Amino acid sequence: MEIPKEDVAEINELRSVEQRQLVEELILQLHEIGAVKLGNFKLKSGVMSPIYVDLRVLPSHPRVLERVVDSMWRCLTASVGEQEARKRFTHVCGVPYGALPFAAAIAIKHQVPMVICRKEAKDYGTKSLVEGVFKKDEKVLILEDVITSGISIQETSTNLRSAGLTVEEAVVFLDRQQGGRQRLAALEGGLAVTVHAVTSLRQMLETLKAHGRIEDSLLDSINAYLASMAQVSPAAAATTAAAAEKPKVLAFAERVDKCQSAVGKKLLRLMEQKKSNLSVAADVTSKSELLTLADKLGPHICMLKTHADIVRDWDANTGKELKELADKHHFLLFEDRKFADIGYVAQQQYGGGPFGICDWADVVTVHLVAGASVVTSLKETAAQKGQERGALLIAQMSTADAASKQEEGSVERALAAARAHTDFVVGFICQENVLAKNPEESASFLYCTPGVRIGSQGDGLGQTYRTPEMVIDPVAAAREYQEKAWAAYTARCSASQ
């Protein structure tokens, strides 16, 4: 039997009235348990606010938590019905970490699979940002307690999408009415998120005032705050939030204890002592040129990058002589061999052969086209020889057409291998910080960026780290690069304080 349209409208209106009453009761409960605080508070976005909603206390009040979660579920399902709403997602995920109890409660009560999204990947266990059982392209409903700028929801959706999941909607309990919902809805390129909110900051204030929970003077202050925030565009609010959340850039000395690799620790200390984060590519073809360059540039560099197989007269003593110069001037030797073969072959290339690389090179580069077993093989070879060695994994190349030819999954494979071998992997060859989203983990690795130059010239072969200055006066050029690179590093550290 079909229900007449006028009766449907009346039923929906009754539901709407009932929902408003339930929300008002819930707001009063939240105030009673101290989840709604009045005063002067600094928000995550960095903005000062006269009202603060702290739903992290809810797990200590399970009955109130249950009511909040029920209100969020009704917010999502009221207009279309539970059956239809359930078709729009297969999993739920709480924004880490305050909304995890909401997701867990809904997962249990409504039997919806849950995934957990971390803020940063760990270096143990699965080492994944997203934990749980799911399939590619399955849809996730994000749950959050409060939305201000929307940055937290956007970051969570980005991490979920990077794991192959789809995100289209989110449900929050409170919208602070500072443009977050509108900003997320306006994102382009398939990144938009529709946010449903149980209540708003203004409704919360009106409820508290109606029940004598807030004085007129404080209400005026809060209304003035809301009016001032209404003048801030969503984009500007997001920029402020992002700046407030920008992590501190740790100095090299501060990162020593975070680094798991002995060679990485040595390099961090060395850079701090010499005030140099410069690595120079010694792409010369004779032994005399190589040793002369190492001796002249040694005082200004932290690493000398070599290509042993292009030195035409390399002999059994070359590696030893390079090592003596490295000890004399306190820099590391970095053989850019790009090991990429199967384990056994890589072991022979590293531990023996005409170059005896493991005997003199502190660091080597590794390409993971044959899998992470090559890292295991190199690590075992160094241990057998009693050498303290490390590897830089190639995540991104520096050639001019690298962006278009970058092999799919190379960054992910490099990260996985690094996490599995933190005692041997020093860091990455890359064009950007491939762990920028995970500041804590990022500080434990180093990032070597080839192709950096002061001038605009390249070498005409797709590479970009040869300049006329380096050829004509290598010492002067090295000194200039050392000073500029160190200045850029110290400025970046200072800017994050």
Side-chain angles (χ1 to χ4, degrees):
M1 178 179 174
E2 186 176 350
I3 302 175
K5 289 184 179 180
E6 58 270 21
D7 290 345
V8 172
E10 185 176 347
I11 290 171
N12 287 338
E13 179 62 25
L14 287 172
R15 286 177 176 170
S16 179
V17 171
E18 180 186 15
Q19 173 74 351
R20 283 201 299 271
Q21 291 174 341
L22 290 171
V23 170
E24 287 182 4
E25 292 174 9
L26 192 47
I27 289 171
L28 296 175
Q29 272 193 302
L30 291 172
H31 183 258
E32 289 168 3
I33 66 173
V36 179
K37 299 178 173 66
L38 304 173
N40 194 32
F41 306 93
K42 185 175 182 178
L43 303 180
K44 185 178 180 181
S45 62
V47 174
M48 299 303 296
S49 169
I51 184 169
Y52 182 57
V53 181
D54 182 13
L55 300 189
R56 290 171 298 180
V57 303
L58 290 184
S60 299
H61 302 273
R63 294 299 296 273
V64 184
L65 172 60
E66 182 181 24
R67 293 194 68 189
V68 168
V69 169
D70 285 346
S71 72
M72 295 173 73
W73 187 256
R74 284 195 301 270
C75 173
L76 181 72
T77 62
S79 61
V80 297
E82 181 168 335
Q83 186 175 2
E84 187 63 31
R86 286 288 298 270
K87 295 178 182 178
R88 304 205 301 252
F89 57 91
T90 58
H91 295 69
V92 293
C93 178
V95 171
Y97 292 103
L100 291 183
F102 301 165
I106 283 180
I108 294 169
K109 186 166 186 176
H110 298 282
Q111 292 298 290
V112 182
M114 172 182 169
V115 293
I116 296 175
C117 185
R118 299 180 183 275
K119 285 187 176 180
E120 66 284 320
K122 303 299 182 182
D123 60 358
Y124 53 83
T126 64
K127 305 179 179 68
S128 299
L129 270 176
V130 180
E131 304 280 4
V133 178
F134 54 87
K135 297 177 182 177
K136 189 175 185 297
D137 296 328
E138 287 187 315
K139 292 185 178 180
V140 180
L141 173 70
I142 291 178
L143 302 170
E144 174 66 305
D145 51 2
V146 178
I147 182 171
T148 305
S149 66
I151 287 290
S152 295
I153 291 177
Q154 185 177 356
E155 289 177 345
T156 301
S157 66
T158 298
N159 289 335
L160 290 170
R161 285 166 178 151
S162 70
L165 291 159
T166 300
V167 178
E168 295 178 351
E169 295 180 90
V171 179
V172 303
F173 177 75
L174 176 70
D175 179 6
R176 288 189 61 98
Q177 298 175 287
Q178 292 178 215
R181 291 174 70 186
Q182 295 84 346
R183 192 182 72 82
L184 290 176
L187 292 175
E188 299 178 349
L191 303 179
V193 179
T194 300
V195 180
H196 310 276
V198 173
T199 187
S200 66
L201 190 56
R202 196 165 294 282
Q203 182 185 7
M204 182 173 280
L205 293 172
E206 290 173 353
T207 301
L208 293 174
K209 181 178 185 298
H211 291 81
R213 304 290 182 91
I214 185 171
E215 297 178 0
D216 288 342
S217 59
L218 184 55
L219 181 61
D220 291 341
S221 171
I222 295 174
N223 282 330
Y225 161 78
L226 288 175
S228 67
M229 293 311 300
Q231 306 299 318
V232 180
S233 69
T239 300
T240 301
E245 295 180 4
K246 187 176 182 180
K248 175 186 176 184
V249 176
L250 298 180
F252 294 138
E254 296 175 293
R255 292 166 59 183
V256 172
D257 290 338
K258 296 181 180 295
C259 183
Q260 304 294 312
S261 160
V263 174
K265 289 177 180 288
K266 181 178 180 180
L267 181 55
L268 286 165
R269 293 192 184 101
L270 186 152
M271 289 191 290
E272 197 70 55
Q273 292 165 2
K274 293 185 71 173
K275 293 189 175 358
S276 174
N277 52 349
L278 177 65
S279 174
V280 169
D283 294 338
V284 293
T285 58
S286 72
K287 175 181 174 179
S288 61
E289 286 179 292
L290 178 59
L291 295 178
T292 298
L293 202 60
D295 196 22
K296 287 184 176 180
L297 302 187
H300 307 288
I301 62 176
C302 65
M303 287 199 297
L304 183 74
K305 189 177 82 165
T306 60
H307 284 285
D309 53 1
I310 71 170
V311 179
R312 292 188 297 266
D313 54 347
W314 184 282
D315 59 37
N317 292 320
T318 306
K320 179 182 177 182
E321 292 174 64
L322 275 175
K323 194 65 180 170
E324 290 173 352
L325 290 171
D327 292 340
K328 172 185 174 182
H329 295 299
H330 306 291
F331 62 84
L332 299 190
L333 290 168
F334 162 23
E335 169 58 21
D336 193 12
R337 180 62 179 80
K338 296 183 178 68
F339 288 95
D341 218 316
I342 60 173
Y344 173 77
V345 175
Q347 282 187 322
Q348 302 308 308
Q349 293 171 328
Y350 186 44
F355 305 111
I357 294 170
C358 185
D359 294 328
W360 55 271
D362 301 284
V363 181
V364 294
T365 45
V366 178
H367 226 315
L368 296 170
V369 291
S373 62
V374 63
V375 181
T376 304
S377 299
L378 297 179
K379 183 167 73 170
E380 290 176 352
T381 300
Q384 290 166 4
K385 284 179 157 288
Q387 300 285 9
E388 193 174 82
R389 299 291 182 249
L392 288 166
L393 307 185
I394 297 173
Q396 299 163 324
M397 297 288 283
S398 64
T399 49
D401 58 350
S404 61
K405 292 186 177 180
Q406 193 71 46
E407 186 180 357
E408 185 178 358
S410 62
V411 173
E412 289 73 18
R413 281 198 298 273
L415 292 177
R419 289 163 179 155
H421 300 281
T422 54
D423 58 339
F424 187 69
V425 175
V426 175
F428 307 93
I429 300 294
C430 51
Q431 293 298 305
E432 59 190 355
N433 183 344
V434 293
L435 280 169
K437 293 180 181 178
N438 308 305
E440 186 67 25
E441 185 183 19
S442 173
S444 64
F445 293 105
L446 288 96
Y447 308 88
C448 296
T449 304
V452 175
R453 80 284 189 201
I454 296 172
S456 59
Q457 300 91 347
D459 67 358
L461 298 174
Q463 268 296 1
T464 51
Y465 44 58
R466 297 277 294 179
T467 65
E469 293 82 4
M470 184 63 77
V471 175
I472 298 169
D473 190 345
V475 175
R479 187 181 298 113
E480 182 184 8
Y481 275 77
Q482 176 192 2
E483 292 172 353
K484 288 184 181 293
W486 190 258
Y489 152 71
T490 55
R492 185 165 172 263
C493 289
S494 299
S496 72
Q497 303 303 309

